[in-house]
Amino acid sequence: MWLKPEEVLLKNALKLWVTQKSSGYFILQRRRGHGDGGGRFTGRLVGALDAVLDSNARVAPFRILLQVPGSQVYSAIACGATAEEINQHWEWLEQNLLHTLSVFDNKEDIVSFVKGKVKALIAEETSSKLAEQEEDPEKFREALVKFESRFNFPEAEKLITYYSCCCWKGKVPRQGWLYLSINHLCFYSFFLGKELKLIIPWVEVQKLERTSNVFMTDTVRVTTANKERDFSTFLNISEAFRIMEQLADVTLRRLLDNEIFELDPGLQDPTQITKRLPRKEKLHEVVDCSLWTPFSRCHTAGTMYTSDSYICFASKENGCCTVIIPLREVISIEKMEDTSLLPNPIIVSIRSKTAFQFIELKDRDTLVENLLQRFKEVNSGNPLHCNNLQNNNQNSIAFGSMCTLGDDEPACLGTEASQGKERSECEKENNYLLNAEALRSDFHQSGVPGLDFGKSREQIKESLWNDHFVEYGRTVCMFRTEKIRKLVAMGIPESLRGKLWLLFSDAQTDLVSHPGYYVHLVEASMGKCCMATEEIERDLHRSLPEHPAFQSETGIAALRRVLTAYAHRNPKIGYCQSMNILTSVLLLYAKEEEAFWLLVAVCERMLPDYFNHRVIGAQVDQSVFEELIKEQLPELAEHMKDLTALASISLSWFLTLFLSIMPLESAVNVVDCFFYDGIKAIFQLGLAILEANAVDLCNSKDDGQALMILSRFLEHVKNEESPLPPIGNHHAFFSDDQEPFPVTEIANLIHDSYEKFGDHSVEQIEHMRYKHRIRVLQSHEDTTKQNVLRVVIPDVSILPEDLEELYDLFKREHLIRCYWESRSVVSERHDPSRPYAEQYRIDAQQFASLYRLLSPWTCGEHTDLLAHRTFRLLDENMDQLIEFKGLASCLDVMYNGEMNEKIKLLYKLHIPPALTENERESQSPLKNPLLSTSRPLVIGKSNGDAVDYQKQLKQMLKDLAKEKDNKTEKELPKMSQKEFIQFCKTLYSMFHEDPEENDLYQAIATVTTLLLQIGEVGQRSISLGSGSDEFTEDLQPEASASDQDAVFTDTVKTPHKDSQPSPVTEGDWTVSFEHILASLLTEQSLVNFFEKPLELKPKLENAKLNQYSLRTNGMSCQSRTEHAKPSMQ
């Protein structure tokens, strides 16, 4: 294969290579120990070293060097694993380059020419390989078939990609195939007759990292709660690790954080440009191209990203140029004539008399077709725009007028003017008077001495921005370059701040896309009382109380409307503290409706997962900040061993964008940078603040002193160029200093942050977020687990370690089902906002699976029926879901309960609501000769003696009557004959395959016969009109009574002479729990069965081994059966 030319110094090197061919400029060499001549000691030593090294460190046995005559420096340009491969490269060099090189006079030109040719070959080879993978799916299809057959997942488990690699088991590597699917990491190996299958759900991954040791130069380590797995010898380990990170991140957020995420098929890296788009935007195409940039008068190479509603461009050179084009702004997309100077060009024209020219687009026709289709979909709600499309296409905008606006161009940004009429009509119908201007304009203070300098600086800034607009554009589609970043770092002029925040955050597009939306939200939300509105009312007067705008009802009312409307729009977030401070500042610089859409952009796009009850996003960024401190400020990190204190101090920096801890006139400059650069600006500013205070922090004695140092510093960050009067900060720690403290200019602090810490890209920060989000989410899961166990442990007798394993099985059962179900079902069963013990819930089918694995009451085919009855019993609120506590309490009774508790549970399983009407009607077991009411109640014993139960039964009934009066708990309903029949079925099934099976069958036959006769006695007493539970002993049996029934006659009270016997109905037959318990206690074998000690741990160990395979196999068979049904019909 061709190599990127790298210099190799041969002088005084070990004799590891043997030259086989040589020409004027190229040398072909073979490594000792390979091929001929390997029999010597040196060759054997080199060959042995190459054999034991990891494949990433091995050296190819053949190579070609570029030779510079008269120099000891050579360049490796090709390598090969076989002589045939390297000879093909050699022949190509002889045929294509050797004759050409003779025309060069300068040796440096020869070297430059050869290196350029080799790089071109590498690029061509790479592109052809990618094309081969995309155009020939046969290889992937073959891998998919193997994946499905080896792991037997349901069809919904989509395979993303696969790699050949090694899985290390201790110090032994197992070569095989790594499969990455949407929910699992799977590895398969078959080596020397041994098969290895490994399945790791992404949701169980606690850490992903690249590491190395003595045996492996570069490995991917996957850490779960119980084990670490190392994978190595990837062909492209960086790509594999990137995809693994993204899959783990997406799955964890989808399943553990209850978020809605759609997996991009390409799993492309996020970029500075695409991270600004709404979360719901789906990326469609990523195409290399070049864009005409009029400010540099050339085409700039970069990448085009297309999504549902946007066309984006990012230059290859970081920071050179980015563009965001909402399709709502587009009026035409046209193909131009293909020429040698402009290959495959297209023109995208937008409303503000601007056109963008893209060239060098591969598969241009398909791209334009897809863009036009999405363009029509986006504008389908705007008929006027669609009708004008044809006219706009016929009268195309001139290419030369790109991004140059005349002096008469209106200063409106975006398409606000085009939608203003619609919004104003909606507002007329609104009962609430919305603020038409930013609060800053209504409460602007003038005449304050010392502000003339600030005003003059503002005028200079406005002039610079106006010049920039002329050259780079003034709409949301403006060219964003390093020049605009410098302007933002200087501070945006007060008059342009709100408008530019709208453009940089792309809230402008949301604003014009939803005319009247905010008004309707205000009407729907105002006046409604809920927890969010109560919290909002409590915080209204704490929001910038030092600013005059929020000392009046006008500002307070606007703040109330925006916060309440957003809580109504997004109930999942509702209202969180710090939203009030941020919204107050937004209202100062933007109109009320604009402030609402800015808040939407911050909460839902720019700071995702920040504003909820768990603040996952903020915690993740705190972890990222800790890593950046260790990387950028190692001395500070070394002094402060525990960086969590700094992270907790800086939490408010991220949540309020420094607005709560820095003077307002300085903090708004930070917000400027945030809206342009995103969270990257907060990270680098935080690092700059820590660096400025590093010496004092290193000398600090405790966390409290570190907090005081940083608070004092931030309070003295001033903005001398601000035209506004200084406004105090009530959140600050120090309002009056006893001694002077040096003042820091905010512009200088921001400049230092960009100069010293601005080299981290969005991609790098997102990469760190992947890693730390896994840790944060798993930490929350551990907290949830410990809290659930803390609640459940006092109520059960299960050992804490067994209960912990049981929780893991319960959670895994929930997740296995969630992998392949619809999103709505998943969200119903897992809600992180609920109390800890109620966050995970399972349905009847999942409970049945756990019941089969864990229950000691196995009843053969009857087990599933008993499992579903148990589920109905535990589902007290009848929502078809149960929590972990229900499962634990049920198993606790089965394993650790007293006999009466176990019998009571069995009894409850055979009366409503556990037993349904359909189950009552199932076939009766009374056909069995052992279950007959006509059998005499006399049992023969093995020793020939006989025991008459008449006296025992009489005494039992009397005792039960006495105990009933002493009961304090709620009496269980009596069991009907049909319910009793099902109870008998369960008992018979439970004894199957027990070592004492025969004795148990005999005992249960005796008890069953006894209970049937008790039920008939009760039935007869009711039919004779007895309403009393008392029993007499001096009764004589009726003449019509059978001999078998005579034994019970002394328990029946004589009816009144005048009373007539009523017909016996089946519905009158009943037996109570006390009857059943007392009867069972008469048989020692039954007592032994229910009181024998049971161990839960073996069941848990078996369940851990078999739970996954049983569930996936069952779901796989079910999905295949459903898929095959149409063909069978």
Side-chain angles (χ1 to χ4, degrees), residues 287-291 300-304 313-317:
V287 186
D288 288 337
C289 65
S290 294
L291 171 67
T300 301
T303 305
M304 175 190 288
F313 174 85
S315 60
K316 292 189 182 296
E317 183 182 347

Side-chain angles (χ1 to χ4, degrees), residues 937-938 946-959 1010 1033 1046-1051 1082:
L937 197 56
V938 178
V947 178
D948 190 346
Y949 284 89
Q950 179 179 355
K951 294 181 180 180
Q952 291 186 16
L953 176 62
K954 181 170 59 178
Q955 185 62 38
M956 179 187 72
L957 294 174
K958 292 171 67 177
D959 293 341
L1010 173 62
E1033 302 181 12
V1047 71
F1048 290 96
T1049 53
D1050 60 338
T1051 65
T1082 61

